[in-house]
Amino acid sequence: MPELPEVETVRRQLAENLVGRRLVRAEFSRMALRAAIPARQLARALQGATVLQIRRRAKYLLWDFSSGYTMLAHLGMSGHFFIGHEKVDPVRHTHGRWRFAGLTVHFVDPRRFGLLKLYKTAEVLESAELAELGPEPFDPIFTPDWLRQSLKQSAAPIKSWLLDQKRLSGLGNIYANEALFRSRIHPRRPSHTLRPREAQRLHTAIRQVLLAAIEHAGTTFLSYKAPDGGDGAFYDSLLVFQREGLECHRCGVPIERIVQSGRSSFFCPTCQKAAPRHPS
DNA sequence: AGTCACGCCTGCCGGC
DNA sequence: TGCCGGCAGGCGTGAC
């Protein structure tokens, strides 16, 4: 469910509440998420240790502990952390519980596409999950020129390119759709046909839409909740996502939906160009 | 190497 | 009202 802005919102709230606190006890369900939860290793490595910092890499959260270990967490489609300041009744689909003095963090994930793993802090960036990820949209390496050069090397539709975490990490279906609308590029455009000006516009749109979403604490959708129980407020700022049949905010023509590799793409058929304006 | 279809799960919503 | 199909913000695998 969550993309970069939602995960960043979760990171900030967890960091605010947990950094400097000592973990008293960690408990996990026996049910597997995307992979089995290494419950014993997690408990042994983390109990009694203090949270040093909470980092984010793409859509992954990294909880660094004073024991030299890092818990790697991914929310999948339906996962969320929430913070209970008092005793909280058991909630269905709770798969992890971290008890600190005065508060408890819960991990709830009905669809169980999430992930909880343990790595040594020194090795986590080289883990199978993180090692192959492409740059982040806010990494200094992500420049208009880098984007233009990278797009040149792929014939994949631009929408698929944006969703490929090995190329650029952090975008999911919502913000890929929104960035393409804002840069007026059709989701089916082969990546290598983007003109330099279009790559420039796309670069700007990606950063703008992500920044705006982070400022609004993400997009609340289905079951997404921030750890404090709050809703993301970006929903009303969506220009195409989930707006099939509604008027384009720019030109009034109905928004269309197509399916690309199993995912919905929403776009305006007149604003978003299916072919380059000036073919080379 | 690059791309795509599919499966993993549960919950929800709309149509009949 | 109840059932059923379709759909959901992610990711890994295997086939081509």
Side-chain angles (χ1 to χ4, degrees):
Chain A
M1 88 199 193
E3 308 179 29
L4 189 155
E6 289 75 30
V7 179
E8 177 60 19
T9 300
V10 171
R11 185 198 70 75
R12 290 177 183 186
Q13 296 187 3
L14 289 176
E16 243 171 64
N17 285 279
L18 301 185
V19 169
R21 283 191 197 258
R22 182 176 160 274
L23 179 68
V24 177
R25 185 167 168 73
E27 302 158 313
F28 304 94
S29 80
R30 293 225 180 91
M31 272 202 257
L33 301 175
R34 191 201 304 174
I37 304 173
R40 300 183 76 115
Q41 293 98 303
L42 281 165
R44 202 180 317 131
L46 308 184
Q47 279 175 186
T50 299
V51 178
L52 298 180
Q53 58 178 345
I54 311 244
R55 291 182 284 162
R56 180 186 59 73
R57 174 73 176 98
K59 303 174 194 171
Y60 288 87
L61 289 165
L62 289 70
W63 299 32
D64 293 342
F65 283 83
S66 59
S67 53
Y69 283 90
T70 292
M71 183 178 75
L72 184 66
H74 193 287
L75 305 176
M77 294 268 268
S78 61
H80 63 276
F81 285 106
F82 73 93
I83 297 170
H85 287 275
E86 296 139 36
K87 189 161 171 59
V88 181
D89 292 331
V91 177
R92 247 167 93 71
H93 305 301
T94 297
H95 297 285
R97 212 175 276 127
W98 297 264
R99 297 192 180 169
F100 298 86
L103 65 83
T104 300
V105 178
H106 307 253
F107 180 67
V108 179
D109 183 9
R111 289 177 74 179
R112 311 209 317 261
F113 290 175
L115 184 74
L116 293 174
K117 280 190 85 169
L118 180 72
Y119 285 101
K120 287 182 180 163
T121 302
E123 297 169 2
V124 67
L125 293 180
E126 277 71 52
S127 65
E129 289 82 4
L130 305 187
E132 306 292 321
L133 291 172
E136 304 253 343
F138 296 111
D139 190 310
I141 199 180
F142 179 66
T143 60
D145 198 53
W146 179 92
L147 180 60
R148 195 160 46 83
Q149 298 296 335
S150 304
L151 292 175
K152 267 192 200 169
Q153 297 159 29
S154 172
I158 184 62
K159 170 73 182 316
S160 310
W161 194 96
L162 291 173
L163 289 179
D164 186 345
Q165 304 297 300
K166 292 180 173 59
R167 292 172 152 141
L168 180 66
S169 63
L171 287 178
N173 207 25
I174 292 182
Y175 299 111
N177 275 297
E178 293 296 313
L180 287 173
F181 174 79
R182 282 162 169 78
S183 50
R184 307 195 301 282
I185 298 164
H186 194 287
R188 279 204 177 117
R189 279 281 293 283
S191 301
H192 66 253
T193 69
L194 263 66
R195 313 307 302 156
R197 300 179 60 162
E198 293 176 314
Q200 168 74 58
R201 287 208 306 267
L202 181 58
H203 177 271
T204 304
I206 289 169
R207 284 195 165 171
Q208 280 182 351
V209 74
L210 292 178
L211 270 181
I214 291 169
E215 281 173 18
H216 287 79
T219 304
T220 291
F221 222 77
L222 303 178
S223 58
Y224 173 72
K225 287 270 182 195
D228 63 1
D231 289 338
F234 195 70
Y235 184 79
D236 293 334
S237 306
L238 298 177
L239 299 181
V240 283
F241 190 78
Q242 285 278 306
R243 295 195 68 247
E244 182 182 15
L246 301 178
E247 288 182 5
C248 170
H249 287 303
R250 195 163 166 268
C251 76
V253 158
I255 298 300
E256 293 183 8
R257 182 177 84 97
I258 57 174
V259 175
Q260 294 178 283
S261 46
R263 321 290 305 278
S264 288
S265 295
F266 301 89
F267 64 100
C268 170
T270 60
C271 292
Q272 293 174 254
K273 295 298 167 194
R277 244 170 257 267
H278 307 289
S280 46

